[in-house]
Amino acid sequence: MKIKNNILGHIQRGGTPSAVDRLLATQLGTACVEMINNENYGVMMAIRGTKVEAVPLEEVIGKRKIIPLDHDWVETAKNVGISLGA
């Protein structure tokens, strides 16, 4: 039996990564390596506007960022048949 690896994030979001997905992953990964090289730990990398920023984990732990049901992303997901779980 052959075992096939799947990247869960791509399955959850609807398939093969786009060019934007690949660029985003490269930007965030590069920023993470820079933080490690600078021994800046206890942070996560976030996209704010068009910039990658380090955000202290204390600012995000235990918090949720909810997308309103009337947000364009929700409507777009529904239009292309992506299930959001409910």
Side-chain angles (χ1 to χ4, degrees), residues 5-79:
N5 292 329
N6 288 309
I7 300 171
L8 185 56
H10 298 152
I11 293 170
Q12 289 173 322
R13 292 185 352 186
T16 305
S18 67
V20 172
D21 293 327
R22 294 178 193 277
L23 288 170
L24 178 62
T26 301
Q27 285 180 305
L28 292 172
T30 300
C32 288
V33 170
E34 288 175 9
M35 291 295 109
I36 293 168
N37 282 338
N38 294 328
E39 298 184 7
N40 186 0
Y41 305 112
V43 297
M44 63 167 250
M45 303 316 296
I47 301 291
R48 290 191 174 159
T50 59
K51 298 188 180 209
V52 178
E53 295 182 12
V55 178
L57 291 176
E58 294 80 26
E59 290 183 20
V60 296
I61 291 175
K63 295 182 182 178
R64 286 185 173 180
K65 187 172 182 180
I66 305 293
I67 299 173
L69 293 176
D70 61 347
H71 194 283
D72 288 344
W73 291 351
V74 175
E75 191 62 32
T76 299
K78 287 179 184 175
N79 289 339

